Amino acid sequence: MSAASTSRMQDLPPKGGYAPFQTERVKLRSVLNAKSCFGLVLGSTLFGMYSYYKTFIWIKRHEIEMRSAHLAIWPLLLAERDRAVLKQMRYNRETEAELMKNIEKWEVGTYYGEPIFFLDKEDQYRDPLFSEHFAHTHPDDFLIRSARHLVT
């Protein structure tokens, strides 16, 4: 091989030279200007305030409706609770009469003829204690109801 073909060719700049370096600032293309950005923020804020106001009014009306319904049904719930208590007390008296029928001188609601509760009037009502209310129920039911009573 000849010496000319084995020598390397030097890399030279292109003819006419390299393009000049860009050193000045290139301004970005803006999609939105300051006025349109301010208008967009103002519009979205006004829309948000309007929707918040409408939702607030709806929630207040809903709360008033729920409160009215609660106040309307409250006497019925109290009456049902009182009815259930009286029903359970009657069941307790009947169960006590059945359990103690063979005991001499036993009167239902007394302890061998002695009254357990001393009330002002003969027909006065006294709410039963929780344990008295469930005196003749299954122990598992009593535990379930007492746990529910503690939670609520």
Short mmCIF file of all heavy atoms in Angstrom, two decimals, residues 9-51:
data_model
loop_
_atom_site.label_atom_id
_atom_site.label_comp_id
_atom_site.label_asym_id
_atom_site.label_seq_id
_atom_site.Cartn_x
_atom_site.Cartn_y
_atom_site.Cartn_z
N MET A 9 -7.18 11.85 6.78
CA MET A 9 -7.56 13.17 6.31
C MET A 9 -7.98 13.99 7.53
O MET A 9 -8.68 13.49 8.39
CB MET A 9 -8.73 13.02 5.36
CG MET A 9 -9.03 14.26 4.66
SD MET A 9 -8.33 14.06 3.06
CE MET A 9 -9.47 14.96 2.15
N GLN A 10 -7.54 15.22 7.63
CA GLN A 10 -7.86 16.07 8.77
C GLN A 10 -9.29 16.59 8.62
O GLN A 10 -9.71 16.94 7.52
CB GLN A 10 -6.88 17.23 8.86
CG GLN A 10 -7.13 18.08 10.08
CD GLN A 10 -6.10 19.20 10.21
OE1 GLN A 10 -5.16 19.28 9.41
NE2 GLN A 10 -6.30 20.02 11.19
N ASP A 11 -10.02 16.61 9.72
CA ASP A 11 -11.39 17.10 9.72
C ASP A 11 -11.34 18.62 9.68
O ASP A 11 -10.76 19.26 10.55
CB ASP A 11 -12.10 16.61 10.99
CG ASP A 11 -13.59 16.54 10.81
OD1 ASP A 11 -14.05 16.68 9.68
OD2 ASP A 11 -14.29 16.33 11.83
N LEU A 12 -11.98 19.22 8.71
CA LEU A 12 -11.94 20.67 8.54
C LEU A 12 -13.34 21.24 8.73
O LEU A 12 -14.34 20.54 8.57
CB LEU A 12 -11.41 20.99 7.14
CG LEU A 12 -9.98 20.54 6.86
CD1 LEU A 12 -9.65 20.76 5.39
CD2 LEU A 12 -9.00 21.27 7.74
N PRO A 13 -13.42 22.54 9.04
CA PRO A 13 -14.74 23.16 9.13
C PRO A 13 -15.40 23.21 7.75
O PRO A 13 -14.71 23.16 6.74
CB PRO A 13 -14.45 24.55 9.67
CG PRO A 13 -13.03 24.81 9.37
CD PRO A 13 -12.35 23.49 9.32
N PRO A 14 -16.71 23.30 7.74
CA PRO A 14 -17.38 23.37 6.44
C PRO A 14 -16.99 24.66 5.71
O PRO A 14 -16.55 25.62 6.32
CB PRO A 14 -18.86 23.36 6.80
CG PRO A 14 -18.95 23.75 8.22
CD PRO A 14 -17.65 23.40 8.86
N LYS A 15 -17.21 24.65 4.43
CA LYS A 15 -16.87 25.82 3.63
C LYS A 15 -17.80 26.95 4.03
O LYS A 15 -18.99 26.76 4.19
CB LYS A 15 -17.00 25.53 2.15
CG LYS A 15 -15.93 24.59 1.68
CD LYS A 15 -16.00 24.40 0.22
CE LYS A 15 -14.89 23.44 -0.16
NZ LYS A 15 -14.81 23.14 -1.52
N GLY A 16 -17.32 28.10 4.22
CA GLY A 16 -18.11 29.24 4.68
C GLY A 16 -18.12 29.35 6.19
O GLY A 16 -18.61 30.31 6.77
N GLY A 17 -17.62 28.36 6.91
CA GLY A 17 -17.50 28.38 8.35
C GLY A 17 -18.75 27.87 9.08
O GLY A 17 -19.77 27.56 8.47
N TYR A 18 -18.63 27.78 10.38
CA TYR A 18 -19.75 27.33 11.21
C TYR A 18 -20.76 28.47 11.36
O TYR A 18 -20.41 29.64 11.25
CB TYR A 18 -19.25 26.90 12.60
CG TYR A 18 -18.46 25.61 12.58
CD1 TYR A 18 -17.09 25.61 12.85
CD2 TYR A 18 -19.08 24.41 12.31
CE1 TYR A 18 -16.37 24.43 12.84
CE2 TYR A 18 -18.37 23.23 12.30
CZ TYR A 18 -17.03 23.24 12.56
OH TYR A 18 -16.32 22.08 12.54
N ALA A 19 -21.99 28.10 11.69
CA ALA A 19 -23.03 29.10 11.94
C ALA A 19 -22.71 29.81 13.25
O ALA A 19 -22.12 29.23 14.16
CB ALA A 19 -24.38 28.42 12.03
N PRO A 20 -23.12 31.08 13.39
CA PRO A 20 -22.81 31.80 14.62
C PRO A 20 -23.61 31.23 15.81
O PRO A 20 -24.72 30.73 15.65
CB PRO A 20 -23.23 33.23 14.32
CG PRO A 20 -24.20 33.13 13.20
CD PRO A 20 -23.85 31.90 12.44
N PHE A 21 -23.03 31.31 17.01
CA PHE A 21 -23.71 30.87 18.24
C PHE A 21 -24.82 31.85 18.59
O PHE A 21 -24.63 33.06 18.48
CB PHE A 21 -22.72 30.77 19.41
CG PHE A 21 -21.76 29.66 19.28
CD1 PHE A 21 -20.40 29.91 19.12
CD2 PHE A 21 -22.17 28.34 19.33
CE1 PHE A 21 -19.48 28.88 19.00
CE2 PHE A 21 -21.27 27.30 19.21
CZ PHE A 21 -19.91 27.58 19.06
N GLN A 22 -25.93 31.27 19.08
CA GLN A 22 -27.05 32.14 19.47
C GLN A 22 -26.85 32.50 20.93
O GLN A 22 -26.91 31.66 21.82
CB GLN A 22 -28.37 31.40 19.27
CG GLN A 22 -29.55 32.25 19.58
CD GLN A 22 -30.85 31.53 19.27
OE1 GLN A 22 -30.83 30.39 18.83
NE2 GLN A 22 -31.95 32.19 19.49
N THR A 23 -26.62 33.75 21.21
CA THR A 23 -26.36 34.19 22.58
C THR A 23 -27.45 35.11 23.08
O THR A 23 -27.57 35.30 24.29
CB THR A 23 -25.02 34.94 22.65
OG1 THR A 23 -25.05 36.00 21.71
CG2 THR A 23 -23.87 33.99 22.37
N GLU A 24 -28.29 35.67 22.21
CA GLU A 24 -29.36 36.56 22.67
C GLU A 24 -30.55 35.72 23.15
O GLU A 24 -30.69 34.55 22.81
CB GLU A 24 -29.77 37.54 21.58
CG GLU A 24 -30.45 36.92 20.37
CD GLU A 24 -29.44 36.48 19.33
OE1 GLU A 24 -28.24 36.71 19.48
OE2 GLU A 24 -29.88 35.86 18.36
N ARG A 25 -31.40 36.34 23.97
CA ARG A 25 -32.55 35.66 24.59
C ARG A 25 -33.61 35.38 23.54
O ARG A 25 -33.94 36.23 22.73
CB ARG A 25 -33.13 36.55 25.68
CG ARG A 25 -34.32 35.99 26.38
CD ARG A 25 -34.74 36.92 27.52
NE ARG A 25 -35.90 36.40 28.18
CZ ARG A 25 -37.15 36.76 27.87
NH1 ARG A 25 -37.36 37.65 26.95
NH2 ARG A 25 -38.15 36.25 28.52
N VAL A 26 -34.16 34.15 23.60
CA VAL A 26 -35.24 33.77 22.70
C VAL A 26 -36.54 33.89 23.49
O VAL A 26 -36.72 33.22 24.52
CB VAL A 26 -35.06 32.34 22.18
CG1 VAL A 26 -36.24 31.94 21.31
CG2 VAL A 26 -33.77 32.22 21.43
N LYS A 27 -37.44 34.75 23.04
CA LYS A 27 -38.70 34.95 23.74
C LYS A 27 -39.64 33.76 23.48
O LYS A 27 -39.78 33.32 22.34
CB LYS A 27 -39.34 36.23 23.26
CG LYS A 27 -40.45 36.70 24.14
CD LYS A 27 -40.88 38.10 23.77
CE LYS A 27 -41.94 38.55 24.74
NZ LYS A 27 -42.44 39.86 24.40
N LEU A 28 -40.24 33.23 24.55
CA LEU A 28 -41.15 32.09 24.40
C LEU A 28 -42.47 32.55 23.82
O LEU A 28 -42.92 33.68 24.06
CB LEU A 28 -41.40 31.43 25.76
CG LEU A 28 -40.22 30.73 26.41
CD1 LEU A 28 -40.60 30.25 27.79
CD2 LEU A 28 -39.79 29.56 25.57
N ARG A 29 -43.10 31.65 23.09
CA ARG A 29 -44.43 31.94 22.59
C ARG A 29 -45.41 31.82 23.74
O ARG A 29 -45.49 30.80 24.40
CB ARG A 29 -44.79 30.91 21.52
CG ARG A 29 -44.76 31.45 20.13
CD ARG A 29 -45.20 30.40 19.13
NE ARG A 29 -46.65 30.25 19.18
CZ ARG A 29 -47.28 29.10 19.03
NH1 ARG A 29 -46.62 28.00 18.86
NH2 ARG A 29 -48.58 29.06 19.07
N SER A 30 -46.18 32.83 24.01
CA SER A 30 -47.15 32.74 25.11
C SER A 30 -48.52 32.43 24.54
O SER A 30 -48.97 33.06 23.57
CB SER A 30 -47.18 34.05 25.90
OG SER A 30 -47.63 35.10 25.08
N VAL A 31 -49.18 31.44 25.14
CA VAL A 31 -50.52 31.05 24.71
C VAL A 31 -51.53 32.01 25.32
O VAL A 31 -52.46 32.46 24.68
CB VAL A 31 -50.82 29.60 25.13
CG1 VAL A 31 -52.21 29.20 24.73
CG2 VAL A 31 -49.80 28.67 24.51
N LEU A 32 -51.34 32.31 26.61
CA LEU A 32 -52.23 33.22 27.33
C LEU A 32 -51.42 34.41 27.81
O LEU A 32 -50.33 34.25 28.36
CB LEU A 32 -52.87 32.52 28.52
CG LEU A 32 -53.74 31.30 28.21
CD1 LEU A 32 -54.15 30.62 29.50
CD2 LEU A 32 -54.96 31.70 27.43
N ASN A 33 -52.02 35.57 27.68
CA ASN A 33 -51.33 36.73 28.23
C ASN A 33 -51.82 36.97 29.66
O ASN A 33 -52.66 36.24 30.18
CB ASN A 33 -51.54 37.95 27.34
CG ASN A 33 -53.00 38.28 27.14
OD1 ASN A 33 -53.84 37.74 27.83
ND2 ASN A 33 -53.29 39.17 26.19
N ALA A 34 -51.35 38.02 30.30
CA ALA A 34 -51.66 38.27 31.71
C ALA A 34 -53.14 38.56 31.93
O ALA A 34 -53.75 38.09 32.89
CB ALA A 34 -50.81 39.42 32.23
N LYS A 35 -53.75 39.30 31.03
CA LYS A 35 -55.17 39.63 31.19
C LYS A 35 -56.05 38.38 31.09
O LYS A 35 -56.98 38.21 31.86
CB LYS A 35 -55.58 40.65 30.12
CG LYS A 35 -55.03 42.03 30.36
CD LYS A 35 -55.51 42.98 29.30
CE LYS A 35 -54.90 44.35 29.51
NZ LYS A 35 -55.31 45.30 28.47
N SER A 36 -55.74 37.51 30.13
CA SER A 36 -56.56 36.30 30.00
C SER A 36 -56.34 35.36 31.19
O SER A 36 -57.28 34.70 31.63
CB SER A 36 -56.26 35.59 28.68
OG SER A 36 -54.90 35.24 28.61
N CYS A 37 -55.12 35.30 31.73
CA CYS A 37 -54.88 34.47 32.93
C CYS A 37 -55.66 35.02 34.11
O CYS A 37 -56.28 34.27 34.87
CB CYS A 37 -53.39 34.44 33.25
SG CYS A 37 -52.43 33.41 32.15
N PHE A 38 -55.64 36.34 34.29
CA PHE A 38 -56.37 36.96 35.40
C PHE A 38 -57.87 36.72 35.23
O PHE A 38 -58.57 36.40 36.19
CB PHE A 38 -56.07 38.46 35.46
CG PHE A 38 -56.76 39.16 36.58
CD1 PHE A 38 -56.34 38.99 37.89
CD2 PHE A 38 -57.86 39.97 36.34
CE1 PHE A 38 -56.98 39.62 38.93
CE2 PHE A 38 -58.50 40.60 37.37
CZ PHE A 38 -58.06 40.43 38.68
N GLY A 39 -58.37 36.84 34.01
CA GLY A 39 -59.79 36.59 33.76
C GLY A 39 -60.17 35.14 34.02
O GLY A 39 -61.24 34.85 34.55
N LEU A 40 -59.29 34.21 33.66
CA LEU A 40 -59.54 32.79 33.90
C LEU A 40 -59.60 32.49 35.40
O LEU A 40 -60.49 31.77 35.87
CB LEU A 40 -58.46 31.95 33.22
CG LEU A 40 -58.64 30.44 33.26
CD1 LEU A 40 -59.90 30.06 32.49
CD2 LEU A 40 -57.44 29.76 32.67
N VAL A 41 -58.66 33.06 36.16
CA VAL A 41 -58.66 32.86 37.62
C VAL A 41 -59.90 33.47 38.25
O VAL A 41 -60.56 32.87 39.10
CB VAL A 41 -57.36 33.43 38.24
CG1 VAL A 41 -57.48 33.51 39.75
CG2 VAL A 41 -56.17 32.60 37.85
N LEU A 42 -60.25 34.68 37.82
CA LEU A 42 -61.43 35.35 38.36
C LEU A 42 -62.70 34.57 38.03
O LEU A 42 -63.56 34.38 38.89
CB LEU A 42 -61.51 36.79 37.82
CG LEU A 42 -62.66 37.63 38.36
CD1 LEU A 42 -62.47 37.87 39.85
CD2 LEU A 42 -62.74 38.93 37.60
N GLY A 43 -62.81 34.09 36.78
CA GLY A 43 -63.99 33.33 36.38
C GLY A 43 -64.12 32.03 37.16
O GLY A 43 -65.21 31.67 37.61
N SER A 44 -63.03 31.31 37.32
CA SER A 44 -63.10 30.04 38.06
C SER A 44 -63.40 30.29 39.53
O SER A 44 -64.12 29.51 40.17
CB SER A 44 -61.82 29.24 37.88
OG SER A 44 -60.73 29.94 38.45
N THR A 45 -62.89 31.39 40.10
CA THR A 45 -63.18 31.71 41.50
C THR A 45 -64.66 32.05 41.67
O THR A 45 -65.30 31.57 42.62
CB THR A 45 -62.32 32.89 41.96
OG1 THR A 45 -60.95 32.55 41.80
CG2 THR A 45 -62.59 33.24 43.41
N LEU A 46 -65.21 32.84 40.76
CA LEU A 46 -66.63 33.18 40.85
C LEU A 46 -67.51 31.95 40.67
O LEU A 46 -68.51 31.77 41.39
CB LEU A 46 -66.98 34.25 39.83
CG LEU A 46 -66.40 35.64 40.11
CD1 LEU A 46 -66.72 36.58 38.97
CD2 LEU A 46 -66.90 36.18 41.42
N PHE A 47 -67.15 31.07 39.74
CA PHE A 47 -67.91 29.84 39.56
C PHE A 47 -67.84 28.95 40.81
O PHE A 47 -68.84 28.37 41.22
CB PHE A 47 -67.40 29.07 38.34
CG PHE A 47 -68.08 27.75 38.15
CD1 PHE A 47 -69.38 27.69 37.68
CD2 PHE A 47 -67.43 26.57 38.46
CE1 PHE A 47 -70.01 26.47 37.51
CE2 PHE A 47 -68.05 25.35 38.31
CZ PHE A 47 -69.35 25.30 37.82
N GLY A 48 -66.66 28.87 41.40
CA GLY A 48 -66.50 28.07 42.62
C GLY A 48 -67.32 28.65 43.77
O GLY A 48 -67.94 27.90 44.54
N MET A 49 -67.33 29.98 43.91
CA MET A 49 -68.12 30.60 44.97
C MET A 49 -69.61 30.37 44.76
O MET A 49 -70.35 30.09 45.72
CB MET A 49 -67.81 32.09 45.04
CG MET A 49 -66.42 32.40 45.58
SD MET A 49 -65.98 34.14 45.47
CE MET A 49 -67.17 34.89 46.53
N TYR A 50 -70.07 30.45 43.51
CA TYR A 50 -71.47 30.22 43.21
C TYR A 50 -71.86 28.77 43.53
O TYR A 50 -72.89 28.52 44.14
CB TYR A 50 -71.74 30.53 41.73
CG TYR A 50 -73.14 30.20 41.30
CD1 TYR A 50 -74.21 30.99 41.67
CD2 TYR A 50 -73.39 29.07 40.53
CE1 TYR A 50 -75.50 30.67 41.28
CE2 TYR A 50 -74.67 28.75 40.13
CZ TYR A 50 -75.73 29.55 40.51
OH TYR A 50 -76.99 29.23 40.13
N SER A 51 -71.03 27.81 43.08
CA SER A 51 -71.35 26.41 43.38
C SER A 51 -71.29 26.12 44.87
O SER A 51 -72.09 25.35 45.38
CB SER A 51 -70.46 25.42 42.66
OG SER A 51 -69.53 25.97 41.88
#
